[in-house]
Amino acid sequence: IECKTYLDGTMWNESQYSAMLLKRVNSAAKVYVLTESNQVRMSKISHDSPVDDIFVIRNNGSPVSVDAVLSFLQQIRKDLMLLVNPSVVKIPGRLINF
């Protein structure tokens, strides 16, 4: 989880590069950016990014969005549950995209 007060284009590129390096070592890793403010154009954010998601918790000095924080925490909980209860690979069968 990368925590940013302010996410701009340069920081977004750095986050993607860090995520790419991390996923080269562990392809199952999840990478999230938690930011207070987003200044990255939506056209620069794509589904092809190695960053799994960006959670923006406020907009232009507004109060912190409880819904955004809960969404972030629910995603982390979901990811941790997959570690506790991994999918069982059945042999004979598929090994990569099971």
Side-chain angles (χ1 to χ4, degrees):
I1 300 168
E2 261 197 68
C3 297
K4 304 283 189 192
T5 303
Y6 174 89
L7 184 66
D8 65 9
T10 300
M11 289 182 216
W12 172 235
N13 290 335
E14 291 172 359
S15 295
Q16 290 187 96
Y17 182 70
S18 296
M20 181 188 66
L21 293 177
L22 182 61
K23 288 185 175 195
R24 278 187 185 168
V25 176
N26 180 358
S27 61
K30 298 288 184 179
V31 179
Y32 299 108
V33 175
L34 180 67
T35 183
E36 188 171 319
S37 173
N38 176 45
Q39 300 302 315
V40 180
R41 281 187 252 137
M42 292 304 293
S43 62
K44 298 289 183 186
I45 300 171
S46 74
H47 292 286
D48 297 338
S49 170
V51 173
D52 293 288
D53 213 336
I54 303 170
F55 293 86
V56 182
I57 62 170
R58 75 168 64 194
N59 186 23
N60 298 325
S62 64
V64 171
S65 166
V66 173
D67 290 340
V69 173
L70 285 175
S71 177
F72 171 71
L73 293 174
Q74 288 168 346
Q75 183 62 53
I76 299 304
R77 183 179 189 278
K78 178 182 167 188
D79 293 339
L80 290 174
M81 291 305 291
L82 289 175
L83 290 174
V84 174
N85 301 313
S87 298
V88 176
V89 178
K90 295 179 183 175
I91 303 296
R94 296 173 72 167
L95 296 181
I96 295 177
N97 295 305
F98 53 92

